[in-house]
PDB file of all heavy atoms in Angstrom:
ATOM      1  N   CYS A  37     129.359 -35.929 -42.051  1.00  0.00           N
ATOM      2  CA  CYS A  37     130.750 -35.727 -41.654  1.00  0.00           C
ATOM      3  C   CYS A  37     131.595 -35.200 -42.778  1.00  0.00           C
ATOM      4  O   CYS A  37     132.463 -34.349 -42.567  1.00  0.00           O
ATOM      5  CB  CYS A  37     131.398 -37.062 -41.128  1.00  0.00           C
ATOM      6  SG  CYS A  37     130.806 -37.585 -39.536  1.00  0.00           S
ATOM      7  N   ILE A 143     142.365 -37.570 -21.598  1.00  0.00           N
ATOM      8  CA  ILE A 143     143.533 -37.759 -22.502  1.00  0.00           C
ATOM      9  C   ILE A 143     144.375 -38.957 -22.078  1.00  0.00           C
ATOM     10  O   ILE A 143     144.794 -39.036 -20.868  1.00  0.00           O
ATOM     11  CB  ILE A 143     144.391 -36.470 -22.484  1.00  0.00           C
ATOM     12  CG1 ILE A 143     143.534 -35.241 -22.726  1.00  0.00           C
ATOM     13  CG2 ILE A 143     145.545 -36.572 -23.437  1.00  0.00           C
ATOM     14  CD1 ILE A 143     144.164 -33.997 -22.441  1.00  0.00           C
ATOM     15  N   GLN A 190     122.021 -44.818 -35.450  1.00  0.00           N
ATOM     16  CA  GLN A 190     122.769 -44.641 -34.178  1.00  0.00           C
ATOM     17  C   GLN A 190     123.651 -43.383 -34.304  1.00  0.00           C
ATOM     18  O   GLN A 190     123.950 -42.877 -35.478  1.00  0.00           O
ATOM     19  CB  GLN A 190     123.519 -45.877 -33.885  1.00  0.00           C
ATOM     20  CG  GLN A 190     124.686 -46.238 -34.856  1.00  0.00           C
ATOM     21  CD  GLN A 190     125.447 -47.469 -34.474  1.00  0.00           C
ATOM     22  OE1 GLN A 190     124.924 -48.311 -33.760  1.00  0.00           O
ATOM     23  NE2 GLN A 190     126.716 -47.485 -34.825  1.00  0.00           N
ATOM     24  N   THR A 209     145.789   2.590 -41.311  1.00  0.00           N
ATOM     25  CA  THR A 209     145.772   4.041 -41.273  1.00  0.00           C
ATOM     26  C   THR A 209     145.306   4.461 -39.897  1.00  0.00           C
ATOM     27  O   THR A 209     145.120   3.653 -38.987  1.00  0.00           O
ATOM     28  CB  THR A 209     144.832   4.561 -42.432  1.00  0.00           C
ATOM     29  OG1 THR A 209     143.475   4.276 -42.114  1.00  0.00           O
ATOM     30  CG2 THR A 209     145.210   4.048 -43.781  1.00  0.00           C
ATOM     31  N   ASN A 223     133.653 -27.038 -47.090  1.00  0.00           N
ATOM     32  CA  ASN A 223     132.643 -26.155 -47.575  1.00  0.00           C
ATOM     33  C   ASN A 223     132.246 -25.131 -46.447  1.00  0.00           C
ATOM     34  O   ASN A 223     131.413 -25.410 -45.548  1.00  0.00           O
ATOM     35  CB  ASN A 223     131.398 -26.899 -47.942  1.00  0.00           C
ATOM     36  CG  ASN A 223     131.680 -27.898 -49.071  1.00  0.00           C
ATOM     37  OD1 ASN A 223     132.334 -27.544 -50.013  1.00  0.00           O
ATOM     38  ND2 ASN A 223     131.143 -29.122 -48.992  1.00  0.00           N
ATOM     39  N   LEU A 251     137.712   3.597 -37.277  1.00  0.00           N
ATOM     40  CA  LEU A 251     138.474   3.218 -36.063  1.00  0.00           C
ATOM     41  C   LEU A 251     139.058   4.383 -35.416  1.00  0.00           C
ATOM     42  O   LEU A 251     139.077   5.520 -35.999  1.00  0.00           O
ATOM     43  CB  LEU A 251     139.523   2.231 -36.441  1.00  0.00           C
ATOM     44  CG  LEU A 251     139.036   0.905 -37.144  1.00  0.00           C
ATOM     45  CD1 LEU A 251     140.187  -0.021 -37.508  1.00  0.00           C
ATOM     46  CD2 LEU A 251     138.059   0.128 -36.319  1.00  0.00           C
ATOM     47  N   VAL A 289     159.612  24.671 -29.450  1.00  0.00           N
ATOM     48  CA  VAL A 289     160.760  24.672 -28.550  1.00  0.00           C
ATOM     49  C   VAL A 289     160.480  25.605 -27.441  1.00  0.00           C
ATOM     50  O   VAL A 289     160.247  26.781 -27.671  1.00  0.00           O
ATOM     51  CB  VAL A 289     162.050  25.017 -29.295  1.00  0.00           C
ATOM     52  CG1 VAL A 289     163.217  25.126 -28.323  1.00  0.00           C
ATOM     53  CG2 VAL A 289     162.412  24.025 -30.414  1.00  0.00           C
ATOM     54  N   GLN A 298     164.250  21.864 -24.598  1.00  0.00           N
ATOM     55  CA  GLN A 298     162.944  21.401 -24.088  1.00  0.00           C
ATOM     56  C   GLN A 298     161.933  21.573 -25.211  1.00  0.00           C
ATOM     57  O   GLN A 298     161.759  22.663 -25.793  1.00  0.00           O
ATOM     58  CB  GLN A 298     162.513  22.239 -22.858  1.00  0.00           C
ATOM     59  CG  GLN A 298     161.078  21.890 -22.365  1.00  0.00           C
ATOM     60  CD  GLN A 298     161.126  20.742 -21.347  1.00  0.00           C
ATOM     61  OE1 GLN A 298     162.111  20.590 -20.618  1.00  0.00           O
ATOM     62  NE2 GLN A 298     160.117  19.916 -21.352  1.00  0.00           N
ATOM     63  N   PRO A 304     147.670  14.441 -29.528  1.00  0.00           N
ATOM     64  CA  PRO A 304     146.905  14.208 -30.776  1.00  0.00           C
ATOM     65  C   PRO A 304     145.584  13.639 -30.499  1.00  0.00           C
ATOM     66  O   PRO A 304     145.253  13.195 -29.405  1.00  0.00           O
ATOM     67  CB  PRO A 304     147.775  13.302 -31.586  1.00  0.00           C
ATOM     68  CG  PRO A 304     148.546  12.493 -30.518  1.00  0.00           C
ATOM     69  CD  PRO A 304     148.736  13.423 -29.372  1.00  0.00           C
ATOM     70  N   GLY A 306     142.724  10.680 -30.670  1.00  0.00           N
ATOM     71  CA  GLY A 306     142.843   9.300 -30.545  1.00  0.00           C
ATOM     72  C   GLY A 306     143.684   8.886 -29.345  1.00  0.00           C
ATOM     73  O   GLY A 306     143.755   9.580 -28.317  1.00  0.00           O
ATOM     74  N   SER A 380     194.154  55.814 -31.845  1.00  0.00           N
ATOM     75  CA  SER A 380     193.300  56.980 -31.414  1.00  0.00           C
ATOM     76  C   SER A 380     191.929  56.816 -31.972  1.00  0.00           C
ATOM     77  O   SER A 380     190.940  57.358 -31.431  1.00  0.00           O
ATOM     78  CB  SER A 380     193.938  58.283 -31.869  1.00  0.00           C
ATOM     79  OG  SER A 380     194.075  58.274 -33.328  1.00  0.00           O
ATOM     80  N   THR A 386     189.839  40.854 -29.187  1.00  0.00           N
ATOM     81  CA  THR A 386     189.972  39.404 -29.413  1.00  0.00           C
ATOM     82  C   THR A 386     189.287  38.628 -28.357  1.00  0.00           C
ATOM     83  O   THR A 386     189.098  39.200 -27.222  1.00  0.00           O
ATOM     84  CB  THR A 386     191.478  39.000 -29.501  1.00  0.00           C
ATOM     85  OG1 THR A 386     192.082  39.269 -28.175  1.00  0.00           O
ATOM     86  CG2 THR A 386     192.204  39.794 -30.542  1.00  0.00           C
ATOM     87  N   MET A 419     188.144  44.723 -35.300  1.00  0.00           N
ATOM     88  CA  MET A 419     188.696  46.069 -35.139  1.00  0.00           C
ATOM     89  C   MET A 419     187.521  47.012 -35.201  1.00  0.00           C
ATOM     90  O   MET A 419     186.865  47.148 -36.231  1.00  0.00           O
ATOM     91  CB  MET A 419     189.690  46.361 -36.251  1.00  0.00           C
ATOM     92  CG  MET A 419     190.244  47.812 -36.108  1.00  0.00           C
ATOM     93  SD  MET A 419     191.514  48.138 -37.409  1.00  0.00           S
ATOM     94  CE  MET A 419     192.846  47.125 -36.811  1.00  0.00           C
ATOM     95  N   CYS A 456     194.884  61.705 -28.339  1.00  0.00           N
ATOM     96  CA  CYS A 456     195.627  62.450 -29.299  1.00  0.00           C
ATOM     97  C   CYS A 456     196.824  63.209 -28.571  1.00  0.00           C
ATOM     98  O   CYS A 456     196.606  63.576 -27.445  1.00  0.00           O
ATOM     99  CB  CYS A 456     194.825  63.471 -30.082  1.00  0.00           C
ATOM    100  SG  CYS A 456     193.688  62.684 -31.327  1.00  0.00           S
ATOM    101  N   LYS A 478     191.648  67.634 -30.476  1.00  0.00           N
ATOM    102  CA  LYS A 478     190.735  66.556 -30.811  1.00  0.00           C
ATOM    103  C   LYS A 478     190.726  65.526 -29.711  1.00  0.00           C
ATOM    104  O   LYS A 478     191.785  65.190 -29.193  1.00  0.00           O
ATOM    105  CB  LYS A 478     191.206  65.930 -32.133  1.00  0.00           C
ATOM    106  CG  LYS A 478     190.296  64.919 -32.727  1.00  0.00           C
ATOM    107  CD  LYS A 478     190.841  64.382 -34.058  1.00  0.00           C
ATOM    108  CE  LYS A 478     189.960  63.321 -34.571  1.00  0.00           C
ATOM    109  NZ  LYS A 478     190.436  62.755 -35.897  1.00  0.00           N
ATOM    110  N   ASN A 480     189.397  63.341 -26.229  1.00  0.00           N
ATOM    111  CA  ASN A 480     189.258  63.575 -24.835  1.00  0.00           C
ATOM    112  C   ASN A 480     190.413  63.138 -24.050  1.00  0.00           C
ATOM    113  O   ASN A 480     191.352  62.484 -24.619  1.00  0.00           O
ATOM    114  CB  ASN A 480     188.033  62.808 -24.304  1.00  0.00           C
ATOM    115  CG  ASN A 480     186.701  63.271 -24.956  1.00  0.00           C
ATOM    116  OD1 ASN A 480     186.400  64.397 -25.009  1.00  0.00           O
ATOM    117  ND2 ASN A 480     186.011  62.331 -25.585  1.00  0.00           N
ATOM    118  N   SER A 490     216.297  67.535 -16.478  1.00  0.00           N
ATOM    119  CA  SER A 490     217.553  68.242 -16.601  1.00  0.00           C
ATOM    120  C   SER A 490     218.684  67.216 -16.413  1.00  0.00           C
ATOM    121  O   SER A 490     218.407  66.032 -16.340  1.00  0.00           O
ATOM    122  CB  SER A 490     217.635  69.357 -15.502  1.00  0.00           C
ATOM    123  OG  SER A 490     218.793  70.151 -15.672  1.00  0.00           O
ATOM    124  N   THR A 496     208.198  64.057 -12.675  1.00  0.00           N
ATOM    125  CA  THR A 496     207.018  63.774 -13.341  1.00  0.00           C
ATOM    126  C   THR A 496     205.828  64.159 -12.499  1.00  0.00           C
ATOM    127  O   THR A 496     205.787  64.015 -11.260  1.00  0.00           O
ATOM    128  CB  THR A 496     206.888  62.266 -13.686  1.00  0.00           C
ATOM    129  OG1 THR A 496     207.938  61.911 -14.551  1.00  0.00           O
ATOM    130  CG2 THR A 496     205.575  61.986 -14.441  1.00  0.00           C
ATOM    131  N   SER A 601     251.249  95.654 -20.032  1.00  0.00           N
ATOM    132  CA  SER A 601     251.537  96.002 -18.644  1.00  0.00           C
ATOM    133  C   SER A 601     251.018  97.295 -18.276  1.00  0.00           C
ATOM    134  O   SER A 601     250.958  98.247 -19.100  1.00  0.00           O
ATOM    135  CB  SER A 601     253.044  95.865 -18.375  1.00  0.00           C
ATOM    136  OG  SER A 601     253.752  96.828 -19.136  1.00  0.00           O
ATOM    137  N   ILE A 636     258.598 115.903 -17.157  1.00  0.00           N
ATOM    138  CA  ILE A 636     258.090 116.942 -17.984  1.00  0.00           C
ATOM    139  C   ILE A 636     258.526 118.302 -17.382  1.00  0.00           C
ATOM    140  O   ILE A 636     258.200 118.525 -16.206  1.00  0.00           O
ATOM    141  CB  ILE A 636     256.576 116.801 -18.164  1.00  0.00           C
ATOM    142  CG1 ILE A 636     256.211 115.452 -18.760  1.00  0.00           C
ATOM    143  CG2 ILE A 636     256.052 117.922 -19.039  1.00  0.00           C
ATOM    144  CD1 ILE A 636     254.749 115.147 -18.816  1.00  0.00           C
ATOM    145  N   MET A 638     258.266 122.309 -17.654  1.00  0.00           N
ATOM    146  CA  MET A 638     257.408 123.318 -18.246  1.00  0.00           C
ATOM    147  C   MET A 638     258.031 124.733 -17.984  1.00  0.00           C
ATOM    148  O   MET A 638     258.524 125.064 -16.920  1.00  0.00           O
ATOM    149  CB  MET A 638     256.009 123.249 -17.633  1.00  0.00           C
ATOM    150  CG  MET A 638     255.295 121.958 -17.896  1.00  0.00           C
ATOM    151  SD  MET A 638     253.687 121.875 -17.133  1.00  0.00           S
ATOM    152  CE  MET A 638     252.867 123.229 -17.977  1.00  0.00           C
ATOM    153  N   SER A 645     251.910 140.542 -17.167  1.00  0.00           N
ATOM    154  CA  SER A 645     253.071 140.735 -16.296  1.00  0.00           C
ATOM    155  C   SER A 645     252.785 139.920 -15.024  1.00  0.00           C
ATOM    156  O   SER A 645     251.713 139.849 -14.519  1.00  0.00           O
ATOM    157  CB  SER A 645     253.251 142.212 -15.970  1.00  0.00           C
ATOM    158  OG  SER A 645     252.184 142.729 -15.255  1.00  0.00           O
TER     159      SER A 645
END
Side-chain angles (χ1 to χ4, degrees):
C37 287
I143 304 168
Q190 66 178 29
T209 68
N223 299 316
L251 303 179
V289 175
Q298 176 88 34
S380 58
T386 64
M419 180 178 287
C456 287
K478 185 179 180 181
N480 299 305
S490 185
T496 299
S601 62
I636 299 174
M638 296 177 63
S645 64

